[in-house]
Amino acid sequence: MLETAKKAAREAGKLIRSRFEADFITEEKSSSFDIVTDVDRASEKLIKDYIMASYPDHSFLGEEESYGDESALHSTLESASKQPYLWIVDPIDGTSNYAHGLPGFSVSIALACYGVLTLGVIYDPLRDILYWAEDGKGAWCGGKPISVSSNENIAECILSTGFSSDLRARKAVLESIQVFGEQCRTIRSFGSAALHLAYVASGKIAAHWQYGLSVWDIAAGVLLVQEAGGKVSNMSGKAYCLTDKDVLASNTELHSALLANLQPLPLIQ
């Protein structure tokens, strides 16, 4: 199944790369902050067809296919603990970057078995870099094991965050940037939560925090960080679960100190 996920991510990456900076259709979804392209939809269909050809009995949860039906999405995630195989896919994480001709987008594919993340793949098609992890087997990039940063001094660390389409989430991020901006070396926002988490897993960034996310944005990245020796929780400090919309991922040394400066947003949990 891991090899299937890797191949699906690479095939989707070829499609995405071939259309980059070309003409494509862009539409607004929930607001001007939230957009989709026809390439997102084509990528998701390619991934779904590829996976389902090998595993027709598995369940599939894709961002574009699921958009607009919050009730069905909630039901799927609530019942994930009863599903033996649930694929969770973001066909282009970082669509705003993609649509504006900017780097910083990725393909994210995760698999949950009875609600537990068991594999995750994140592919950066522009740089042709593939990250992957399997439950209990570590996290990898380019055939080499990766691990989170061991830095315990926040003043020497790069942190990252991102902006969702939810205005309350954006406000919370801006407030926390003001707090962390006085403590850390610098803060980055590349526009893809999946890539941010891959950078945490590989030790390039010490921590990533964000509000107002969806499961397909972060499922693969969560497993990467965990398998790379890091810790992932929601803003209440509880271990990440598939229904969480806010996330903090870091090494274990920094996690508690960072969490102390963050507040949960109950209304969008």
Side-chain angles (χ1 to χ4, degrees):
M1 285 184 280
L2 175 61
E3 291 307 311
T4 297
K6 287 181 181 179
K7 290 177 181 177
R10 286 194 179 278
E11 289 301 313
K14 288 179 185 178
L15 168 66
I16 293 165
R17 194 165 54 241
S18 72
R19 299 283 302 277
F20 185 52
E21 295 187 317
D23 292 332
F24 46 76
I25 300 168
T26 302
E27 302 171 16
E28 290 186 8
K29 293 164 77 173
S30 61
S31 70
S32 61
F33 303 141
D34 187 14
I35 61 174
V36 63
T37 71
D38 60 324
V39 186
D40 290 78
R41 296 187 175 113
S43 175
E44 182 165 302
K45 183 179 185 303
L46 184 156
I47 295 168
K48 182 177 183 179
D49 289 349
Y50 197 96
I51 290 173
M52 300 309 285
S54 298
Y55 306 104
D57 296 331
H58 290 193
S59 299
F60 185 91
L61 180 64
E63 176 179 9
E64 307 313 331
E65 187 176 84
S66 303
Y67 175 73
D69 194 344
E70 290 297 321
S71 177
L73 173 59
H74 182 75
S75 177
T76 297
L77 295 178
E78 286 292 323
S79 63
S81 62
K82 300 177 183 178
Q83 299 185 55
Y85 299 103
L86 174 64
W87 293 90
I88 303 168
V89 171
D90 193 337
I92 304 180
D93 185 57
T95 298
S96 290
N97 283 345
Y98 186 76
H100 287 83
L102 294 169
F105 50 85
S106 60
V107 179
S108 178
I109 301 175
L111 177 64
C113 298
Y114 295 107
V116 177
L117 293 168
T118 57
L119 69 83
V121 170
I122 295 172
Y123 182 53
D124 180 343
L126 279 190
R127 300 180 66 200
D128 188 26
I129 297 176
L130 187 72
Y131 300 86
W132 72 92
E134 277 190 284
D135 185 23
K137 297 183 180 180
W140 303 77
C141 178
K144 297 180 181 180
I146 55 177
S147 61
V148 296
S149 167
S150 60
N151 201 323
E152 300 179 22
N153 184 0
I154 191 171
E156 299 174 353
C157 292
I158 296 177
L159 310 183
S160 67
T161 190
F163 299 87
S164 81
S165 58
D166 188 294
L167 286 175
R168 294 163 298 177
R170 288 185 170 217
K171 182 179 179 181
V173 165
L174 289 170
E175 290 173 350
S176 49
I177 284 175
Q178 184 172 0
V179 174
F180 290 140
E182 297 176 356
Q183 302 177 32
C184 68
R185 176 162 288 165
T186 191
I187 297 172
R188 295 287 181 257
S189 183
F190 296 116
S192 167
L195 281 180
H196 280 135
L197 292 172
Y199 296 157
V200 173
S202 54
K204 297 178 176 68
I205 290 174
H208 178 75
W209 87 95
Q210 194 167 343
Y211 295 90
L213 292 160
S214 296
V215 64
W216 42 73
D217 299 318
I218 54 176
V222 165
L223 185 63
L224 274 168
V225 173
Q226 292 172 334
E227 287 296 312
K231 184 173 182 178
V232 185
S233 74
N234 61 24
M235 302 311 186
S236 298
K238 296 180 180 179
Y240 173 80
C241 71
L242 298 180
T243 55
D244 284 331
K245 289 181 174 292
D246 54 2
V247 68
L248 169 65
S250 70
N251 64 27
T252 55
E253 290 80 7
L254 291 172
H255 204 87
S256 294
L258 294 172
L259 192 63
N261 290 285
L262 296 167
Q263 297 296 323
L265 292 182
L267 293 177
I268 63 168
Q269 289 265 10

